[in-house]
Amino acid sequence: MVDAIVIGGGITGAGVARDLALRGLSVTLLEKSYPAAGATGRCHGLLHSGARYAVKDPRAAAECAAENRVVKNMAPHCVEDTGGVFLAIDEADAGYGDRLVSGCKAAGVPVEELSVADSPNPAALRCIGTKDAAVDPFLLTLANLYDAYMAGAEIVTGCGVKRIGDGFVETEDGRTIKGEVIINAAGCECAELLQASGRSAPAVQADHGTLLVTERKVCDLVVNRMRMPGDGDIIVPGHTTSIIGTTSEKSASTIPLRTEYHKLVREAVALLPSMKGVRITRAFAGIRPLLGSGDGRSLSRDYKIFEEQGLITIAGGKLTTYRLVAEHASDAVMRMLGENGRCRTMSEALPDVRREEQGEIECRCESAGRRIIEMPFLKNTDTSRYNRLGFGACQGMRCARFSNSPEEFLQERWKGVRPIIDEGQLQQAYVAWASYKTRLGDRWPGDRIVLPRDREPMNY
Ligand SMILES: Cc1cc2nc3c(=O)[nH]c(=O)nc-3n(C[C@H](O)[C@H](O)[C@H](O)COP(=O)(O)OP(=O)(O)OC[C@H]3O[C@@H](n4cnc5c(N)ncnc54)[C@H](O)[C@@H]3O)c2cc1C
């Protein structure tokens, strides 16, 4: 019997497994798919400065500000320390700027008034600088899992948990694994899993958010709209691209919609006119587990840790504050076990899981190579996603063949291309489609490019 079983290999589960392993506990982490398969691998990768939450949720803002510094210190190799700005596009935005500044001051979030002339949008009415940054969610998750593994944790991928019992879990492949404490970090499936186990579950609402990826990086800074959080108000740089986000709809679907594409591009161009005409290469969608029920934008992005005898469930939260959440959940585990090991994740650096030497370049648009070090728990996993294969402008046309499962890889890419096909995109989509068809032959499901009905040019 192990001390702790962690369910879920997203950033929360990975953070908890690392924290507990560093405190000296025996840990087994079970991930049904692959590391960062859920919301973690489908987010902007914004390392929040806290400013976004300063008006609505000062506690979350203060936590983000503190954890922003911690993550930059402990995992500089996962972070692009870009800095960020909030831009006012109209008078209402500029007025909100006063609330933003006073909220940030109260929450201890560093901000400074900047000259709009030096901002990425010189036509803006006001510009406030922040400590926002970009973080690679895949690398951060792998670094946590690898460190947990090096500290003695067992990490198992491709192993779903079907039921949580008292002091044990049953896996989908029929195994029973015993543990003193079970930590349910199954993301948006955490409540479903409790219900399937005959337990009461907190109210958790699945909230769908779509993001768009641009062909090239449009701006080196994180750009936020100076207003209460809403749709299409963030542009985050990430490696060679920019990510435009996001929407918020009550839904558990990971299929991005065409209406969301239109809305996000319109908002992005208003925020940053240099976005006009920039080719969008792909859309993708993630699901947030929000606490409560109702309109997604009105619900908190906060997290909650639910404790019952021998079981801890973590619901909600942010990538930025994962370490803090893991620390609190691990403290609860220690209390349940009557142990008192100290949390070490605040000061211990995370390992860089990339190879020291770049491998053979497999995709020139992202300079992607086999750059993840070997980890036994990734043996049956397609590691191409951690190497950014197919993440750049070519969308896998050149490099899909390097993926362990090119069929799955290309179908996932196509899912993100379909909703964004418009007149400008059509030629590119035909080339991509023909390339995929050539690569996969009969294994390609014969999907046809159908021109969307609303073909009239978009006015932005
Ligand atoms: C569109 C969008 C944009 C976001 N942008 C940001 C951002 O820019 N910055 C930020 O700080 N936060 C952001 N977030 C929030 C952030 O992504 C999440 O808070 C965080 O990734 C949650 O991690 P998690 O590990 O709790 O959940 P997940 O990443 O969803 O991980 C849960 C894992 O559990 C596994 N699992 C599920 N059921 C089982 C089972 N029965 N057995 C075994 N394994 C199971 C899943 O496969 C999955 O890997 C965003 C979220 C969304 C949806």
Side-chain angles (χ1 to χ4, degrees):
M1 170 176 306
V2 289
D3 293 324
I5 298 172
V6 181
I7 305 169
I11 192 63
T12 308
V16 173
R18 175 182 187 236
D19 191 319
L20 292 175
L22 290 179
R23 295 189 204 213
L25 296 197
S26 55
V27 180
T28 295
L29 179 143
L30 305 171
E31 162 55 50
K32 73 170 177 178
S33 186
Y34 55 85
T40 303
R42 296 175 166 276
C43 75
H44 308 83
L46 169 59
L47 187 64
H48 287 281
S49 61
R52 186 170 171 81
Y53 300 107
V55 173
K56 198 175 168 194
D57 191 347
R59 190 178 67 87
E63 286 180 352
C64 284
E67 291 300 310
N68 175 292
R69 287 189 291 273
V70 174
V71 175
K72 283 177 184 171
N73 278 334
M74 77 174 176
H77 38 79
C78 298
V79 176
E80 293 175 57
D81 196 358
T82 57
V85 287
F86 277 69
L87 295 177
I89 304 306
D90 56 31
E91 293 294 342
D93 290 358
Y96 176 79
D98 295 337
R99 293 173 67 200
L100 179 66
V101 171
S102 58
C104 285
K105 276 195 183 136
V109 176
V111 281
E112 58 177 328
E113 204 80 44
L114 298 175
S115 150
V116 285
D118 301 329
S119 85
N121 178 358
L125 302 182
R126 190 171 179 183
C127 175
I128 293 170
T130 70
K131 302 282 185 196
D132 284 330
V135 58
D136 185 318
F138 292 109
L139 287 183
L140 191 66
T141 306
L142 284 187
N144 276 275
L145 289 174
Y146 185 64
D147 210 32
Y149 167 75
M150 293 306 279
E154 184 191 17
I155 312 291
V156 190
T157 55
C159 180
V161 170
K162 193 170 69 178
R163 192 170 86 85
I164 301 173
D166 288 329
F168 67 91
V169 298
E170 283 171 12
T171 64
E172 273 159 11
D173 58 7
R175 279 183 292 157
T176 299
I177 302 173
K178 291 184 181 167
E180 294 273 356
V181 180
I182 293 150
I183 300 101
N184 174 4
C188 63
E189 289 161 90
C190 69
E192 223 170 276
L193 181 57
L194 291 172
Q195 282 156 359
S197 309
R199 294 169 178 267
S200 61
V204 174
Q205 179 173 300
D207 189 74
H208 155 115
T210 282
L211 303 118
L212 305 179
V213 186
T214 60
E215 173 185 34
R216 60 181 165 81
K217 187 163 17 180
V218 180
C219 180
D220 288 334
L221 298 168
V222 175
V223 182
N224 300 269
R225 181 88 182 251
M226 199 181 290
R227 66 179 182 200
M228 287 295 265
D231 288 356
D233 59 2
I234 315 182
I235 303 171
V236 183
H239 298 269
T240 58
T241 64
S242 292
I243 296 185
I244 305 171
T246 176
T247 52
S248 179
E249 296 290 337
K250 183 177 174 179
S251 161
S253 164
T254 55
I255 298 179
L257 301 178
R258 190 164 168 72
T259 46
E260 294 177 297
Y261 159 61
H262 281 217
K263 186 177 199 179
L264 289 174
V265 175
R266 195 175 300 116
E267 292 287 341
V269 172
L271 180 58
L272 205 59
S274 55
M275 285 290 317
K276 198 176 172 102
V278 172
R279 190 163 71 86
I280 306 297
T281 53
R282 184 166 58 96
F284 63 96
I287 310 165
R288 321 169 174 88
L290 297 182
L291 290 161
S293 58
D295 167 41
R297 283 287 170 207
S298 69
L299 294 179
S300 162
R301 264 60 180 162
D302 208 355
Y303 64 89
K304 203 159 177 189
I305 298 172
F306 299 88
E307 291 180 41
E308 45 185 293
Q309 191 53 42
L311 173 65
I312 288 165
T313 296
I314 306 168
K318 287 177 267 304
L319 177 71
T320 306
T321 49
Y322 87 93
R323 193 212 60 83
L324 183 71
V325 175
E327 180 179 342
H328 290 163
S330 301
D331 286 345
V333 173
M334 300 306 269
R335 278 197 303 277
M336 282 183 189
L337 291 174
E339 302 264 359
N340 42 26
R342 202 175 47 84
C343 174
R344 288 164 50 195
T345 58
M346 178 82 119
S347 51
E348 300 250 339
L350 273 166
D352 187 347
V353 295
R354 290 167 303 178
R355 290 184 179 189
E356 270 178 30
E357 293 195 6
Q358 178 76 26
E360 186 193 340
I361 300 290
E362 292 169 343
C363 189
R364 261 168 286 155
C365 58
E366 273 282 351
S367 297
R370 294 260 164 218
R371 58 193 174 102
I372 299 299
I373 58 174
E374 272 179 32
M375 304 178 203
F377 54 88
L378 293 182
K379 218 164 125 203
N380 298 318
T381 303
D382 185 354
T383 52
S384 60
R385 58 180 65 83
Y386 309 121
N387 297 327
R388 295 190 63 76
L389 207 69
F391 278 44
C394 90
Q395 287 298 293
M397 280 191 286
R398 291 190 195 128
C399 54
R401 66 184 184 283
F402 292 108
S403 161
N404 294 0
S405 44
E407 186 177 351
E408 194 191 320
F409 176 95
L410 290 179
Q411 287 199 30
E412 178 64 25
R413 283 284 163 279
W414 186 241
K415 186 171 103 180
V417 171
R418 285 177 63 146
I420 61 160
I421 297 174
D422 58 27
E423 292 187 337
Q425 278 290 341
L426 191 61
Q427 286 180 338
Q428 195 61 37
Y430 266 119
V431 176
W433 184 88
S435 154
Y436 296 169
K437 176 83 186 152
T438 311
R439 296 243 178 273
L440 293 179
D442 291 342
R443 284 178 296 145
W444 185 240
D447 205 345
R448 291 193 311 122
I449 293 180
V450 180
L451 261 181
R453 279 195 211 108
D454 50 344
R455 282 183 59 191
E456 47 301 333
M458 290 184 277
N459 288 320
Y460 33 67

